[in-house]
C-alpha cells in the first residue's frame, strides 16, 4: 500500500469528529482509532479557507476505482446518518475515514469487506449545501 496522501480538514469538522470520537459509543473501536490517525495527520483550516475540491463531512464525492473501472458516488456522513443503499457512507467506515480530507486527483488504496482491492481516485467533490441562515458556517 502506498503512503497516505496529505489531507485537509475544516476546523468545524475536526471539532465535531473529535467530540464523536470521545463519545463512549465509539471511543475504543478500531474505526475510531483509524479516524483519529487520519485526523492527527490532517492540516486543519477554517471552514472559509477550505478548498472547494476537498472531501468534507456531508460532501458528495465521485471516485473511480482505477483497478476495476467502476465509478462510485458517495456522501460522507456521521454514523447515525449512514445508509449504504443510498450511498451515504459513515466517516467511521474504513472507506469513509480514508476519503475524509482528500482532494480531486488524490487516491487511496482500499480493501472492501469481502477482500476486493480498490484504488479509488477522487474525480469530483460537491461540498454540502450551506444552511439558509448561515448558522453552520
Amino acid at each position: 500500500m502506498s503512503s497516505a496522501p496529505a489531507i485537509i480538514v475544516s476546523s468545524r469538522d475536526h471539532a465535531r469528529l473529535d467530540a464523536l470520537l470521545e463519545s463512549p459509543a465509539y471511543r475504543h473501536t478500531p474505526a475510531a482509532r483509524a479516524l483519529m490517525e487520519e485526523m492527527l495527520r490532517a492540516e486543519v483550516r477554517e471552514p472559509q479557507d477550505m478548498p472547494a475540491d476537498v472531501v468534507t463531512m456531508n460532501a458528495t464525492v465521485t471516485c473511480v476505482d482505477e483497478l476495476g473501472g467502476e465509478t462510485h458516488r458517495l456522501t460522507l456522513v456521521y454514523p447515525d446518518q449512514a445508509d449504504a443503499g443510498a450511498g451515504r457512507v459513515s466517516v467511521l467506515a474504513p472507506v469513509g475515514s480514508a476519503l475524509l480530507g482528500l482532494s480531486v486527483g488524490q487516491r487511496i488504496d482500499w480493501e472492501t469487506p469481502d477482500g476486493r482491492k480498490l484504488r479509488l481516485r477522487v474525480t469530483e467533490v460537491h461540498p454540502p449545501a450551506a444552511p439558509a441562515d448561515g448558522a453552520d458556517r
Side-chain angles (χ1 to χ4, degrees):
M1 187 176 282
S2 58
S3 64
I7 62 172
I8 303 169
V9 176
S10 78
S11 59
R12 180 182 60 232
D13 285 351
H14 196 279
R16 289 178 179 171
L17 291 169
D18 207 32
L20 176 77
L21 295 175
E22 287 299 316
S23 71
Y26 301 111
R27 187 178 309 153
H28 299 293
T29 65
R33 284 193 290 278
L35 179 57
M36 183 59 72
E37 287 177 19
E38 293 295 307
M39 290 183 29
L40 287 172
R41 67 185 190 83
E43 176 187 336
V44 180
R45 294 190 187 174
E46 290 304 311
Q48 66 272 15
D49 297 330
M50 288 294 294
D53 68 344
V54 170
V55 180
T56 61
M57 291 305 299
N58 299 305
T60 299
V61 58
T62 303
C63 47
V64 173
D65 173 17
E66 294 182 336
L67 302 177
E70 300 164 353
T71 298
H72 304 273
R73 187 173 174 93
L74 311 166
T75 300
L76 188 61
V77 298
Y78 292 94
D80 62 330
Q81 301 165 329
D83 179 350
R88 299 174 63 81
V89 176
S90 170
V91 69
L92 289 179
V95 72
S97 62
L99 285 171
L100 179 69
L102 292 182
S103 58
V104 170
Q106 288 184 307
R107 63 182 52 84
I108 55 165
D109 290 327
W110 182 65
E111 190 171 316
T112 65
D114 64 4
R116 239 177 3 124
K117 299 217 183 286
L118 304 175
R119 176 165 293 136
L120 299 178
R121 180 174 43 87
V122 176
T123 58
E124 197 173 8
V125 175
H126 296 278
D133 62 4
D136 200 32
R137 291 183 179 203

